[in-house]
Amino acid sequence: METLDAIGRWLNKQHVLTYCVGSNGDLWCANAFYLFDEQRIAFYLLSETHTRHGELIGKQANVAGTVNGQPKTVALIRGVQFRGEITLIDDETEAATLRSRYCKRFPVARVMKAPVWEIRLDEIKMTDNTLGFGKKLHWLRDETKLGE
């Protein structure tokens, strides 16, 4: 749990992720502002269903992506790679609650009508050079500790 806490603290200081989805031999990436939920171990974002990535996802799809800062020196590099499942939130009550939390973090999103999506994280790998060059922190949903 200590590893997940460290990853979560860092993720809550960031705000943009890149996620990639594929279907029928097509593959596409997108960037989005995100809300990280430490209890569900999930990202929440807003995106239209008619976008290229939205059409590839449909209602649900496997997803992989990254979150990274922009340090000017290698010693300060920190970043996360993740994989999981992205799902369109259909339940109106749940979507409204999540949208409210999202808009609290990103007030400009109040004007967006895009639906809410959840990326349920199944695996996270964080590189944190501030802990030593090439230091990796791993987390799996089944809570198996991989440590390096």
Side-chain angles (χ1 to χ4, degrees), residues 13-102:
K13 292 177 184 173
Q14 310 309 307
H15 59 276
V16 175
L17 60 74
T18 299
Y19 62 108
C20 303
V21 294
S23 177
N24 299 319
D26 197 4
L27 185 64
W28 201 249
C29 295
N31 296 312
F33 288 103
Y34 69 83
L35 172 70
F36 179 66
D37 185 310
E38 300 90 352
Q39 271 61 55
R40 288 176 150 173
I41 310 167
F43 292 122
Y44 293 94
L45 56 96
L46 303 182
S47 185
E48 295 290 351
T49 56
H50 60 76
T51 60
R52 186 168 178 181
H53 54 278
E55 289 175 356
L56 287 171
I57 297 166
K59 294 279 187 185
Q60 178 178 344
N62 291 328
V63 63
T66 61
V67 179
N68 64 289
Q70 297 292 320
K72 293 183 185 239
T73 176
V74 172
L76 300 177
I77 288 175
R78 288 178 166 170
V80 163
Q81 295 165 279
F82 65 85
R83 78 173 171 83
E85 185 176 84
I86 186 167
T87 306
L88 181 64
I89 303 294
D90 283 332
D91 181 273
E92 289 182 27
T93 304
E94 182 181 14
T97 299
L98 291 166
R99 179 180 298 281
S100 176
R101 287 179 57 202
Y102 187 92

